[in-house]
Amino acid sequence: MTDHQQPQQPYHPPRPPYEPTRPFTTEPGTTVWPSGSGGGYTPPPAEPPYAAAGPAPAAAPLSRRRAKRGVGLMAAVAIAAAAIGGGTATLVQQLTADAPVTAAASSAVTGTNVSASSTGTVAGVAEAVSPSIVEISARSASGASTGSGVIITGDGEIVTNNHVISGASEITVRTSDGKTYRAEVVGKDPDKDLALIKLADASGLRAATLGDSSKVKVGDQVVAIGSPEGLTGTVTSGIVSALDRDVTVAKDEDTDSPDTQQQWDPRQGWPFEFGGQQFNGDTGSSKTTYKAIQTDASLNPGNSGGALINMNGEIIGINSAMYSPSSSGGSTAGSVGLGFAIPVDTLKADLDALRSGGRS
């Protein structure tokens, strides 16, 4: 080819005179012929592109842009789900973080732990406090009686009612595990119907926790543990039905003469007065009155000196008087929900005097 010659143009065959259907173009250099074109005509091959048009746009940037949009969409969905349940936070981390993914701990959301202790139920209180409650058998010239007591020290100090051990020449204590001990009177306070005895050769006993009776409210649930009718470790429950009841009981002056000792039938319960009426017999001429906690927890003869307990397992009162109506045969007919306990704050205020052996 010489310098004055023009470059030869590529040859294109003529198109058919009739085009049933015109092609359409989707991408540069690409022609699509719809199926079903008439005349059996086969479209010619695509024309080669003209030279020096530059490289075709790379598809990679488009793919990356689309991928970023997809990741952004998935991250947005994952974040919304995390706001609801928290479970897809790991997915967000997988899609967006460069650092290795660590699975979310199952305990990430925590609340107030529920105590494993069963304290707060009657069964839990009974299990916790029963080892601190004892049965007391007191023998005197006038007969024998049975009551209850509360262990307050590991070496065997026990609080009970004065009327349980009054005039006794021999005191025997049985603990919840069946062991028996001899006991001696340390001190007594007939005005408050309280007494302190001490076991001989005792150690390692479970002492009860003395609570705060000033915090007791009407309606509080309580548990009573004692030995009614000699049935050691009997558990009953109820509520505090009243506070600051004036209860009057017989006051034993505890002289050595059997003729002056208070005589009472343990089957009938200790006589007391309440609301101007006498219960369980005549209280006699020598009396004392104290403020008491009233409860409808079932109390019967033998519960005297036992514990009235709150639902935290703390002693809030020493059971002292209960009304047990008599049947036609002369025996008690059972509790009617009228029982009284000496507030534990009264006991705590009197404890030093009892340890010293005399009245407060």
Side-chain angles (χ1 to χ4, degrees):
M1 178 172 51
T2 62
D3 295 337
H4 65 274
Q5 289 179 330
Q6 299 295 326
Q8 186 177 357
Q9 299 296 325
Y11 171 77
H12 296 285
R15 296 183 184 277
Y18 172 71
E19 294 181 357
T21 307
R22 295 185 61 85
F24 60 91
T25 301
T26 58
E27 296 287 344
T30 302
T31 305
V32 178
W33 289 82
S35 61
S37 301
Y41 174 76
T42 301
E47 296 180 1
Y50 292 100
L62 177 60
S63 300
R64 285 197 295 269
R65 288 195 299 271
R66 291 177 178 173
K68 289 181 179 179
R69 287 197 298 270
V71 170
L73 178 60
M74 294 178 67
V77 173
I79 291 171
I84 298 173
T88 55
T90 301
L91 175 60
V92 175
Q93 187 178 12
Q94 289 173 336
L95 293 174
T96 60
D98 295 331
V101 176
T102 302
S106 59
S107 59
V109 179
T110 59
T112 302
N113 292 330
V114 178
S115 174
S117 173
S118 58
T119 300
T121 66
V122 174
V125 171
E127 181 180 2
V129 184
S130 288
S132 302
I133 311 302
V134 300
E135 177 185 301
I136 299 175
S137 297
R139 186 173 297 277
S140 67
S142 58
S145 63
T146 300
S148 304
V150 180
I151 300 172
I152 61 171
T153 63
D155 61 352
E157 281 189 342
I158 294 175
V159 173
T160 186
N161 289 139
N162 178 62
H163 72 257
V164 171
I165 52 86
S166 178
S169 58
E170 180 181 330
I171 302 173
T172 303
V173 173
R174 183 167 63 173
T175 57
S176 63
D177 58 4
K179 294 182 180 180
T180 58
Y181 298 85
R182 296 291 296 272
E184 298 292 335
V185 176
V186 175
K188 52 176 64 177
D189 187 349
D191 292 334
K192 296 181 175 65
D193 197 16
L194 291 172
L196 181 68
I197 63 175
K198 180 72 162 55
L199 304 185
D201 302 322
S203 64
L205 302 179
R206 184 183 297 184
T209 300
L210 303 182
D212 185 351
S213 54
S214 69
K215 296 181 179 179
V216 176
K217 296 181 176 60
V218 173
D220 284 351
Q221 190 175 4
V222 291
V223 175
I225 305 178
S227 300
E229 306 291 351
L231 301 175
T232 306
T234 296
V235 177
T236 58
S237 65
I239 64 168
V240 172
S241 50
L243 296 171
D244 298 326
R245 293 296 200 194
D246 288 328
V247 175
T248 300
V249 297
K251 180 179 177 181
D252 187 354
E253 295 297 341
D254 193 27
T255 61
D256 293 333
S257 172
D259 295 334
T260 59
Q261 290 178 0
Q262 180 72 35
Q263 301 295 314
W264 65 287
D265 184 353
R267 297 175 301 169
Q268 301 298 322
W270 185 248
F272 71 98
E273 297 178 6
F274 168 66
Q277 301 183 41
Q278 290 185 341
F279 301 93
N280 307 336
D282 185 5
T283 56
S285 58
S286 181
K287 306 173 183 179
T288 185
T289 301
Y290 56 82
K291 299 287 186 180
I293 299 171
Q294 182 179 322
T295 179
D296 69 349
S298 180
L299 301 178
N300 289 285
N303 274 112
S304 291
L308 189 66
I309 313 157
N310 65 19
M311 302 311 291
N312 292 324
E314 300 167 336
I315 310 300
I316 59 169
I318 303 299
N319 299 322
S320 58
M322 66 289 304
Y323 173 47
S324 300
S326 299
S327 66
S328 58
S331 62
T332 57
S335 172
V336 294
L338 186 62
F340 301 93
I342 301 168
V344 74
D345 287 358
T346 301
L347 166 64
K348 291 191 293 185
D350 202 28
L351 196 53
D352 289 342
L354 291 174
R355 285 173 171 155
S356 67
R359 293 181 175 87
S360 58

